[in-house]
Amino acid sequence: MQFDAFDRILKFLELMAQPAGATKQEVCDMLGISVRSFYRYLEFFTNVGFKVVRLKNRYSFDANSPYFRKLTAYNFFSQEELDAVLALMETSSQSDSKVKLLYQKLIRQKKWHVRNPYVVDKAYDDKVELLAEAIRDKKIVILHNYSSVKSSTVTDRIVEPYLFMGDNDSVRCYEHISGMNKMFRLSRIGSIELMPVNWIYENRHTQFYTDAFNFSGDTLYPVEVRLNFRAVRLLKEEYPGCSQYLFRLSENEWELKMNVCDFKGIGRFCLGLFRDVTPLGGQEFLDYLNKEVRDLYWQQGAIAPGKRS
């Protein structure tokens, strides 16, 4: 039908208007279009006044686009208005389902104000697609001209990619020559060659995690912290990924229970807000904080080196 193309344009607009946007593959699958058509849609919307935002592998429209602002001018709060309303709602009860729904809508709207636009990078997308294919089909790849900061070399690496990390800006691989699992940044890869050879060392692939403080590792450690209103607001602003692990205890008291890969991130936050935060557990985390405090006092001369415990 003559309206099919128009329907796809509207669906494309709907997907890209979401605060989180959508991946290229998600758009192609939902609209039944090719990758080439995806880029033609992007070009069309750019030409009519939309600014395209790319956060790693997700695409969306910038809320500050001239045309987009016309559509939303009478429906959106300003940043200052949003902050004021959200602050009031966070200090009040959200037991009512309608209040919860309104709060969630306002949070989604706020995301439009804090997103940072990136230039669309087709070369980056191609790397993600090749690595995703290799992971899915369990294939070996060659990372050509990989630039290593640690060794100051540019070499080819034969690897078995098996896990994307962060926002798909890095990939976890088993490297054949070293016999180790390593992280490789996509920005340092010259090009990727997909080999018609299956993984050989799958049994050596180790699990790897990235916590809400952006620390990575193959082990998770439990932490438990009690926070007041000020600490919670700062935690949500600086580390929004922690929000899902927060439990409200009272009007001015929350509890954070989560696993981390390293105590440094959560440790810095707790020590920087020691009047607003009470660490509760686990024991390894408490031992880490105690050692950090002792070291800090020792460095400032408050405790003689010989009396350190």
Side-chain angles (χ1 to χ4, degrees):
M1 294 179 63
Q2 60 177 331
F3 292 109
D4 287 349
F6 184 63
D7 181 60
R8 283 195 294 271
I9 290 176
L10 290 178
K11 288 180 179 177
F12 186 92
L13 175 60
E14 180 183 1
L15 291 170
M16 297 287 283
Q18 300 176 98
T23 66
K24 178 171 54 182
Q25 193 58 52
E26 287 172 348
V27 174
C28 291
D29 291 344
M30 292 181 186
L31 272 61
I33 61 175
S34 65
V35 173
R36 185 185 298 270
S37 296
F38 172 83
Y39 283 110
R40 284 205 296 265
Y41 277 104
L42 284 186
E43 183 178 5
F44 167 75
F45 278 99
T46 300
N47 290 337
V48 297
F50 286 86
K51 293 180 181 179
V52 178
V53 171
R54 201 208 78 219
L55 290 175
K56 305 306 178 184
N57 67 328
R58 303 192 71 83
Y59 296 81
S60 58
F61 290 137
D62 184 357
N64 292 315
S65 301
Y67 194 83
F68 199 96
R69 293 179 69 178
K70 290 180 182 179
L71 294 176
T72 60
Y74 299 102
N75 299 314
F76 274 49
F77 289 104
S78 69
Q79 177 66 63
E80 293 75 16
E81 291 170 335
L82 267 178
D83 288 338
V85 173
L86 287 172
L88 288 172
M89 295 186 74
E90 288 179 357
T91 58
S92 63
S93 172
Q94 293 186 32
S95 58
D96 187 280
S97 60
K98 292 182 179 179
V99 175
K100 284 185 178 180
L101 180 60
L102 176 60
Y103 181 81
Q104 292 168 359
K105 286 183 176 180
L106 291 174
I107 286 292
R108 285 197 296 271
Q109 180 180 326
K110 183 173 181 179
K111 291 179 181 178
W112 283 110
H113 296 273
V114 298
R115 219 168 27 191
N116 295 318
Y118 288 79
V119 177
V120 175
D121 187 347
K122 188 175 183 301
Y124 171 88
D125 292 340
D126 291 341
K127 292 176 185 177
V128 171
E129 286 189 1
L130 280 172
L131 289 170
E133 182 179 348
I135 293 173
R136 184 193 66 217
D137 298 336
K138 299 185 176 182
K139 297 295 184 182
I140 293 172
V141 304
I142 301 178
L143 307 180
H144 288 291
N145 299 320
Y146 184 78
S147 178
S148 172
V149 174
K150 185 176 181 180
S151 61
S152 299
T153 59
V154 179
T155 57
D156 292 346
R157 308 291 187 94
I158 301 175
V159 300
E160 299 177 9
Y162 62 89
L163 179 68
F164 279 113
M165 299 173 58
D167 292 321
N168 290 354
D169 58 352
S170 302
V171 63
R172 180 80 167 170
C173 305
Y174 178 82
E175 186 182 42
H176 285 195
I177 192 170
S178 67
M180 298 173 60
N181 292 290
K182 297 182 177 180
M183 180 186 73
F184 295 90
R185 292 192 177 278
L186 270 64
S187 60
R188 298 177 187 169
I189 302 172
S191 61
I192 299 173
E193 182 180 354
L194 183 63
M195 305 295 291
V197 182
N198 292 332
W199 290 345
I200 301 173
Y201 303 104
E202 184 175 0
N203 62 323
R204 301 184 187 180
H205 299 180
T206 59
Q207 184 58 273
F208 206 74
Y209 309 95
T210 300
D211 62 29
F213 294 89
N214 294 319
F215 282 88
S216 300
D218 53 13
T219 305
L220 292 174
Y221 304 95
V223 297
E224 185 176 350
V225 177
R226 190 162 295 167
L227 312 92
N228 64 13
F229 175 74
R230 177 171 180 267
V232 166
R233 285 299 305 274
L234 291 172
L235 182 71
K236 288 181 177 180
E237 290 175 2
E238 296 178 21
Y239 306 101
C242 292
S243 298
Q244 59 185 307
Y245 306 109
L246 283 167
F247 302 90
R248 190 166 189 167
L249 302 176
S250 65
E251 184 176 343
N252 190 43
E253 197 172 38
W254 283 258
E255 192 170 71
L256 176 70
K257 296 179 71 172
M258 62 185 298
N259 293 321
V260 298
C261 299
D262 197 300
F263 295 135
K264 291 177 182 175
I266 181 71
R268 290 195 199 111
F269 183 82
C270 291
L271 293 173
L273 294 167
F274 64 92
R275 290 188 175 90
D276 306 286
V277 173
T278 304
L280 302 176
Q283 190 56 50
E284 289 180 274
F285 177 50
L286 297 178
D287 293 342
Y288 169 84
L289 290 177
N290 286 329
K291 182 180 182 303
E292 288 293 300
V293 172
R294 290 198 304 269
D295 288 346
L296 177 64
Y297 277 108
W298 176 74
Q299 291 170 9
Q300 295 179 349
I303 300 177
K307 294 183 179 180
R308 294 179 67 197
S309 58

